[in-house]
Amino acid sequence: MTFNTLHKIRLFFRKNKESYYIFYNLLGVYPKDLHLYKQALIHKSLSIKDKNGNTINNERLEFLGDAILDAIVADIVFRKFNSKREGFLTSTRSKIVQRDMLNKVSDKIGLDKLIKYSHLNSMSSHNCNLSGNAFEALVGALYLDHGYEACLTFM
């Protein structure tokens, strides 16, 4: 049996089944650590703290996801355009991972509807990038939970 088949069987007995299905439909794999994916969807505007007073939001996952996304897109572009020079590859990667593109991709897969944020000050310039930032955080969560290959497959 594959990991996903075993995970489906175990899923029957878990709480938060709906969350597991949502992330499976988005990513193509079941979360091992659901907490990571939920954190990827929490914007800093909520000001949530854990029992130790540490802030819980998606910023650290966004940082990691940004780096992983750059590496994955570079990998894909490098393999796809094997006769192109560095300048073309850099330009192509930059167009794919630019904020507007990430916002569009995030909105297209419905991630924008899952993000948790404070509606106060929702018109700020940072909030117009909520979707793209959450997308990067989701890639960071996927990387921590399933590794590079899962991120490559997702992309």
Side-chain angles (χ1 to χ4, degrees):
M1 274 195 232
T2 66
F3 171 78
N4 274 341
T5 303
L6 287 173
H7 210 65
K8 278 185 184 178
I9 293 168
R10 288 188 203 127
L11 185 62
F12 180 74
F13 299 102
R14 290 197 173 191
K15 296 177 184 176
N16 298 318
K17 290 178 199 168
E18 184 179 351
S19 295
Y20 281 91
Y21 286 124
I22 287 170
F23 290 114
Y24 176 79
N25 287 330
L26 280 173
L27 303 168
V29 294
Y30 284 102
K32 294 180 205 174
D33 184 353
L34 186 60
H35 171 75
L36 285 171
Y37 300 91
K38 287 184 172 185
Q39 185 173 345
L41 299 176
I42 298 173
H43 185 258
K44 69 179 179 177
S45 63
L46 286 182
S47 301
I48 298 174
K49 306 241 183 222
D50 67 12
K51 62 184 176 188
N52 298 321
N54 299 317
T55 303
I56 300 173
N57 61 48
N58 66 2
E59 285 187 321
R60 289 175 48 84
L61 287 170
E62 180 187 337
F63 165 79
L64 179 61
D66 179 48
I68 298 301
L69 200 52
D70 271 346
I72 288 171
V73 172
D75 189 350
I76 293 168
V77 169
F78 180 82
R79 293 172 194 273
K80 174 123 176 105
F81 302 104
N82 59 0
S83 65
K84 297 293 185 178
R85 294 180 158 224
E86 186 267 343
F88 173 85
L89 299 175
T90 299
S91 174
T92 303
R93 183 194 65 215
S94 294
K95 288 176 186 172
I96 294 170
V97 296
Q98 70 178 332
R99 184 62 51 206
D100 288 342
M101 180 63 77
L102 296 179
N103 288 338
K104 287 177 187 173
V105 170
S106 179
D107 292 349
K108 185 168 183 158
I109 65 172
L111 196 58
D112 59 317
K113 294 169 184 60
L114 302 174
I115 301 167
K116 293 170 178 52
Y117 66 98
S118 171
H119 295 281
L120 301 174
N121 304 322
S122 63
M123 298 309 289
S124 76
S125 62
H126 185 70
N127 284 346
C128 69
N129 293 320
L130 282 173
S131 292
N133 294 343
F135 184 82
E136 287 177 337
L138 190 65
V139 170
L142 181 61
Y143 174 76
L144 290 174
D145 199 36
H146 284 283
Y148 181 84
E149 289 298 321
C151 293
L152 187 60
T153 301
F154 170 62
M155 290 307 294

